Amino acid sequence: MKQKVMVTLLMSTMIVILSACGWFGDDNGDETAMADAIIVYTNQTSGGRETRLQTLISEANLGFSVEFVELAGQNLRSRLIAEKNFPIADVVLGGGVLEHLGLKNEGVTTPFFPTWLDTVDSVH
């Protein structure tokens, strides 16, 4: 029993240490620096859709890569809640309106308004 407790404690400590490594990076205060890769959490890559999305991304020559992390419904929500204070994903693609409203109410998501938003005609 004591050995199981020690192994569990050791594993927990290792997970915390390894997780902490990703939280601190080289931050020059330059907010305009572009990421080399965008991480997208999604439930929309099955059935060959990821291949099609990667083809469109490479054709657009965006200057960065996109990494898709496939997570199904509740797993996606649980991971976003767990990463609330230290998010890994840059974008969430997919999910229903109710899921997104729940994440908004829990303070998980951050509103984003692109600079070009005012150039788009509103639909009424």
Side-chain angles (χ1 to χ4, degrees), residues 35-118:
D36 292 330
I38 303 276
I39 298 174
V40 179
Y41 285 178
T42 184
N43 60 356
Q44 303 289 318
T45 57
S46 62
R49 287 181 278 191
E50 180 176 5
T51 305
R52 178 66 180 142
L53 288 170
Q54 289 292 8
T55 301
L56 291 171
I57 291 165
S58 65
E59 287 173 358
N61 196 18
L62 300 173
F64 55 87
S65 63
V66 178
E67 179 182 336
F68 292 99
V69 178
E70 173 76 27
L71 295 163
Q74 187 60 37
N75 293 338
L76 177 62
R77 177 180 166 76
S78 296
R79 184 173 234 179
L80 289 169
I81 291 170
E83 296 176 0
K84 176 181 175 181
N85 294 322
F86 298 101
I88 295 173
D90 298 300
V91 178
V92 177
L93 174 64
V97 173
L98 293 177
E99 291 170 338
H100 286 283
L101 287 175
L103 292 170
K104 178 184 174 190
N105 291 339
E106 292 193 40
V108 174
T109 57
T110 303
F112 173 75
F113 301 101
T115 56
W116 47 263
L117 183 62
D118 59 345

Side-chain angles (χ1 to χ4, degrees), residues 7-21:
V7 170
T8 304
L9 183 61
L10 179 62
M11 294 298 287
S12 299
T13 304
M14 288 175 54
I15 290 170
V16 169
I17 290 170
L18 291 174
S19 298
C21 292

Side-chain angles (χ1 to χ4, degrees), residues 19-35:
S19 298
C21 292
W23 295 344
F24 304 102
D26 183 22
D27 186 10
N28 302 353
D30 184 10
E31 296 179 14
T32 61
M34 186 178 287

